Amino acid sequence: SVLTQPPSVSGAPGQRVTITCTGSSSSHGASPDVHWYQQLPGAPPKLLIYVNTNRPSGVPDRFSGSKSGTSASLTISDLRADDEADYYCQSHDSSLNMIFGGGTKLTVL
Amino acid sequence: QVQLVESGGGVVQPGKSLRLSCAASGFTFSRYGMHWVRQAPGKGLEWVAVISDDGLNKYYDDSVNGRFTISRDNSKNTLFLQMDSLRAGDTAVYFCAKDPYGSGFYIDSWGQGTLVTVSS
């Protein structure tokens, strides 16, 4: 059971970037939900998107999530310098154990 | 607000044991599932284990199953991770994390982490 993310993405301030998270059929099964976390340098992860599309209180609406079949995406609009971080998707495998994607490093040019 | 404070990390020799603790505050601890997640230096996140709100259900990643034991004391708002037969590959920052439900779903709060180094 694997969640695959691109190792890195980049964009200039003000641009929009999308990070994909693709699951194998055994990990997504009947299409389990996907969640996203942001990890700033030297800090613990922070919940960014839960249950595919929902933002916790305090997360700017520049961050949005979507899911279709076995693929999910995190889109960051109006990119800012302080968005530079590692981003992880998370779901469950066929044993219902939690699994994380390998992480994507976002560089703001 | 939710606070999760890990302790117990340090340097330990291969084959030895270590017990991590996580002191929780700011929420009703006994109502939520709790996780341990680790991150090796320079690497990604790896889920380790989850325990249900009542402590009756526990699940582990295959890499630690049989060596690590997750437990909780709801009377003391504390989560534990007993780590036995430690290996070099267990070297990581270990995060204590809260689930928004009674058992594993996703994580809505994280501690700062405690570093475990397994080395001779």
Side-chain angles (χ1 to χ4, degrees):
Chain A
S1 302
V2 175
L3 295 175
T4 301
Q5 298 181 234
S8 63
V9 297
S10 63
Q15 287 188 334
R16 181 172 65 182
V17 296
T18 296
I19 299 171
T20 56
C21 174
T22 303
S24 63
S25 58
S26 60
S27 65
H28 277 194
S31 197
D33 296 316
V34 175
H35 322 282
W36 291 91
Y37 304 89
Q38 177 194 58
Q39 187 175 30
L40 296 170
K46 167 192 165 185
L47 180 64
L48 203 60
I49 298 288
Y50 65 97
V51 190
N52 307 316
T53 61
N54 300 279
R55 281 186 310 276
S57 172
V59 173
D61 59 8
R62 300 186 299 106
F63 295 89
S64 62
S66 65
K67 182 174 174 293
S68 177
T70 59
S71 290
S73 296
L74 171 70
T75 298
I76 309 171
S77 304
D78 190 22
L79 207 57
R80 296 171 31 158
D82 58 4
D83 294 331
E84 193 159 284
D86 294 323
Y87 293 83
Y88 296 90
C89 61
Q90 175 251 306
S91 187
H92 288 81
D93 64 16
S94 55
S95 301
L96 299 182
N97 285 341
M98 186 177 282
I99 53 173
F100 287 95
T104 299
K105 181 177 181 59
L106 169 63
T107 300
V108 180
L109 302 171
Chain B
Q1 71 280 19
V2 173
Q3 274 205 310
L4 300 169
V5 180
E6 303 92 338
S7 61
V11 180
V12 61
Q13 293 179 333
K16 299 295 188 181
S17 299
L18 205 60
R19 189 194 199 201
L20 305 183
S21 300
C22 171
S25 61
F27 65 103
T28 305
F29 182 69
S30 60
R31 291 185 182 174
Y32 299 95
M34 296 294 295
H35 301 261
W36 287 99
V37 176
R38 67 185 180 183
Q39 186 170 34
K43 302 298 184 182
L45 300 174
E46 181 183 21
W47 175 79
V48 173
V50 63
I51 186 169
S52 59
D53 52 359
D54 58 8
L56 295 182
N57 297 300
K58 307 172 186 182
Y59 301 95
Y60 302 90
D61 184 77
D62 288 346
S63 64
V64 306
N65 199 18
R67 300 187 299 122
F68 289 11
T69 303
I70 189 171
S71 61
R72 65 192 296 162
D73 185 339
N74 284 347
S75 69
K76 296 182 178 178
N77 293 342
T78 305
L79 175 72
F80 302 99
L81 184 68
Q82 176 67 39
M83 304 186 293
D84 299 324
S85 303
L86 282 161
R87 307 166 179 166
D90 296 318
T91 294
V93 172
Y94 284 74
F95 295 102
C96 163
K98 172 187 167 292
D99 199 280
Y101 296 96
S103 58
F105 188 28
Y106 61 92
I107 292 170
D108 63 358
S109 298
W110 299 72
Q112 291 294 315
T114 186
L115 176 62
V116 172
T117 302
V118 183
S119 173
S120 54

